Amino acid sequence: MSRGAAACTSKSVPQSAESAAVTTLRSPQAVRERCGEILARAETDALEHFRLNRERLDAATDYVIATIERNYPDLEIPFHSRWRHFHVDGIDRWGALAATLSSWARDAIARTRIDLAVVSVLLDAGAGDSWRFVEPGSARTYARSEGLAVASFHMFTAGAFSAHAGEPLRADAEALAALKPRRLDEAFQVRDDNSLAGRRGRVALLQGLGTALGAQPDLFGSDEPRAGNLYDYLLGRAVQNRLPASAIFGAVLQGLAPIWPGRVRIGNANLGDVWHHSAIRRDDASDGLVPFHKLSQWLTYSLVEPLEEAGIRVHGLDELTGLAEYRNGGLLVDLGVLALKDPADAVRSHDVGSELVVEWRALTVALLDELAARVRARLDLDAERLPLAKVLEGGTWAAGRRAARERRAGGGPPVVVVSDGTVF
């Protein structure tokens, strides 16, 4: 059995120890700490799949800064979030929709905006190289993250996630649980000649979300539960209209825990984006496990703006980590900071649970912290002015895409990961 297949297991340990291990693995501190341990092994060339070329970090820093200065010459960088993708080609799709909601209460708009963010982020796993989306009413064609964002935006505004014909702008338990693959195919223009990677996994994820919404009334409400009711839960945890980002992240992890397919379990807890690596040793139920929580952190970043527009100030955002995905990771490979020890691995496809992919993702998270510090030092900015969420948006994610386009037709990643539509 492969290491990726072995990831779908459950560990049997005393319940109190299980609970402690789950709590640990659901923290951003564990993500940062365990990814740092993988980096420490790379420092001594003790990893099986990747070699670290630390001398290339200066060139990578130059490349990221050049990307920032090209995209944001005034250094007024927004947060890395799904909302940037709704603004592709300079078209403010959310702003145009929000303008039609001027009669709505602020809280109602926040719930709708969270509904949209949740479903769009969960549909954001890698689309593959061939899929394209032609925006209705125009000739504009988009691919990858922007295409998924624009497609999900139009699917949302068409009421695909609402059980109420007269209230299309919502994502509720009833409609999500009943979502059919055909509805996604139609909305995302999937055909034999326009295939979407992981399409079945995406539908299953949203169906699972519908079930999870109905099963957690404390988070999503007991009367017609919907994703946007997370706003009310978080509002109740704000103190003087201030809320730590860790509280958002914790609520997202709790709320989404049941939806992830075929993942590591400890007792009854589904851990989600947590994978095995033999270098991580612990004397508890978390032995051998590396957490990333990529989509959950991406969603947390994407909830900041809806909350702040509703009057809730989010703080402590730098407790979250960089995102372990193929744009940030691809940047490091394309610029030579990371190198595959076996060149043949560059042309093979890899399971998301393989140790090679876990190494790549862990090194990405750890090195993003270093890159962010170097970028701040060079630009003479502190972490308050240039938090990690802005370094990701202005620099590393955009730089990763730029590097991929310069090196490969279609701009695909330098390491090919088999997508089930639920991780990348």
Side-chain angles (χ1 to χ4, degrees), residues 40-335:
R41 291 182 67 85
E43 300 279 9
T44 60
D45 199 25
L47 293 177
E48 181 177 353
H49 301 288
F50 282 92
R51 178 174 294 108
L52 173 65
N53 300 314
R54 183 167 283 283
E55 69 278 5
R56 297 295 303 162
L57 273 171
D58 284 340
T61 303
D62 291 341
Y63 193 89
V64 171
I65 289 173
T67 303
I68 290 173
E69 291 178 336
R70 183 165 69 177
N71 294 338
Y72 299 98
D74 59 0
L75 300 182
E76 292 301 322
I77 307 168
F79 289 132
H80 189 53
S81 80
R82 194 56 163 163
W83 304 100
R84 306 290 79 74
H85 295 153
F86 296 139
H87 206 286
V88 63
D89 277 348
I91 301 167
D92 187 359
R93 293 165 181 83
W94 166 254
L97 177 61
T100 70
L101 310 179
S102 58
S103 64
W104 286 28
R106 186 173 66 174
D107 291 351
I109 293 174
R111 292 186 195 99
T112 285
R113 202 169 178 185
I114 289 173
D115 281 330
L116 171 57
V118 170
V119 294
S120 187
V121 165
L122 291 181
L123 286 167
D124 191 38
D129 292 335
S130 62
W131 178 78
R132 298 293 185 272
F133 179 77
V134 180
E135 188 168 18
S138 79
R140 293 183 293 268
T141 299
Y142 301 109
R144 301 189 181 276
S145 286
E146 287 88 350
L148 293 168
V150 174
S152 62
F153 181 87
H154 286 284
M155 190 175 182
F156 177 80
T157 59
F161 309 113
S162 172
H164 300 270
E167 300 178 46
L169 303 180
R170 49 186 288 142
D172 53 50
E174 182 180 350
L176 287 163
L179 185 69
K180 303 299 183 187
R182 182 180 66 256
R183 187 71 184 270
L184 183 77
D185 288 351
E186 292 171 353
F188 280 63
Q189 303 170 358
V190 176
R191 303 178 302 273
D192 290 342
D193 63 347
N194 192 39
S195 61
L196 175 66
R199 49 185 285 275
R200 293 285 178 178
R202 294 171 204 271
V203 173
L205 208 60
L206 292 181
Q207 291 170 338
L209 174 63
T211 301
L213 296 179
Q216 300 180 84
D218 57 326
L219 289 175
F220 303 113
S222 55
D223 182 19
E224 297 187 338
R226 59 186 283 196
N229 286 340
L230 190 62
Y231 166 75
D232 300 277
Y233 174 85
L234 294 171
L235 179 62
R237 274 142 189 80
V239 177
Q240 295 182 336
N241 290 325
R242 286 173 52 84
L243 183 72
S246 59
I248 307 171
F249 182 54
V252 167
L253 283 182
Q254 179 185 337
L256 300 188
I259 77 175
W260 309 113
R263 298 290 193 263
V264 177
R265 304 183 73 89
I266 294 179
N268 293 323
N270 184 343
L271 297 179
D273 190 8
V274 177
W275 308 90
H276 287 282
H277 196 287
S278 56
I280 301 299
R281 310 311 310 171
R282 295 293 188 277
D283 59 0
D284 60 22
S286 70
D287 181 51
L289 298 178
V290 185
F292 298 111
H293 304 303
K294 183 262 174 179
L295 282 175
S296 295
Q297 294 204 76
W298 176 230
L299 179 54
T300 300
Y301 284 128
S302 299
L303 294 184
V304 172
E305 288 163 75
L307 291 169
E308 293 207 329
E309 283 200 3
I312 301 173
R313 175 71 182 276
V314 177
H315 61 92
L317 204 58
D318 264 5
E319 290 184 26
L320 302 182
T321 73
L323 301 180
E325 47 82 54
Y326 70 85
R327 287 303 179 204
N328 291 317
L331 172 72
L332 297 168
V333 174
D334 281 336
L335 297 189

Side-chain angles (χ1 to χ4, degrees), residues 343-362:
D345 280 328
V347 295
R348 297 182 181 121
S349 295
H350 304 278
D351 183 83
V352 71
S354 67
E355 286 211 350
L356 183 148
V357 174
V358 174
E359 278 184 19
W360 184 35
R361 298 181 77 197

